[in-house]
Amino acid sequence: MAEHEPAFCPVYAALNLLQEKWTLHIIRALLEGPKGFNELSRAIGGVNPATLSQRLEHLVELGVVEKKVESLMPPRTRYSLTEAGRELETVIAAIDRWARRNLKAPVG
């Protein structure tokens, strides 16, 4: 490794991935089970289809999400979490516990 290259930090790399907009929303929705693209989009709400597609592609490349094309006409694509993706359930649960203790629901 060259002198000017920083050492790999797994926490830094994980935070960079998880802070990408919609990534944790995708993982949270897929913790409920496999979903098609449109079903996933509805479960998340508010995500642009191009952005969702890009995030899913990246998560598939990283091995967090699995993409399965079913051989039906018309073809359907289903997304599910891999084992690595399911391991993030503890992260989501920790965020949920923290939020319930420290954030107030909006009034209105």
Side-chain angles (χ1 to χ4, degrees):
M1 180 173 8
E3 270 185 52
H4 62 283
E5 289 182 31
F8 174 73
C9 176
V11 173
Y12 184 85
L15 288 175
N16 272 345
L17 168 65
L18 297 176
Q19 63 88 30
E20 289 180 356
K21 191 167 184 177
W22 304 110
T23 296
L24 284 173
H25 294 282
I26 292 167
I27 293 165
R28 180 191 50 80
L30 290 176
L31 282 168
E32 298 170 359
K35 293 186 176 13
F37 186 87
N38 291 333
E39 184 183 10
L40 186 56
S41 180
R42 285 189 300 275
I44 295 168
V47 62
N48 176 298
T51 301
L52 179 57
S53 181
Q54 181 186 44
R55 292 297 181 273
L56 285 167
E57 184 178 316
H58 188 218
L59 291 169
V60 167
E61 286 175 14
L62 294 173
V64 174
V65 170
E66 178 181 49
K67 176 181 178 178
K68 183 178 179 183
V69 178
E70 297 175 351
S71 59
L72 302 173
M73 287 308 284
R76 290 179 41 120
T77 303
R78 304 285 292 169
Y79 295 93
S80 60
L81 293 174
T82 63
E83 185 61 36
R86 285 189 297 278
E87 287 181 25
L88 289 167
E89 185 170 13
T90 57
V91 174
I92 302 287
I95 292 169
D96 179 68
R97 282 190 305 276
W98 181 88
R100 289 176 189 276
R101 283 193 308 265
N102 296 288
L103 300 177
K104 303 295 180 212
V107 177

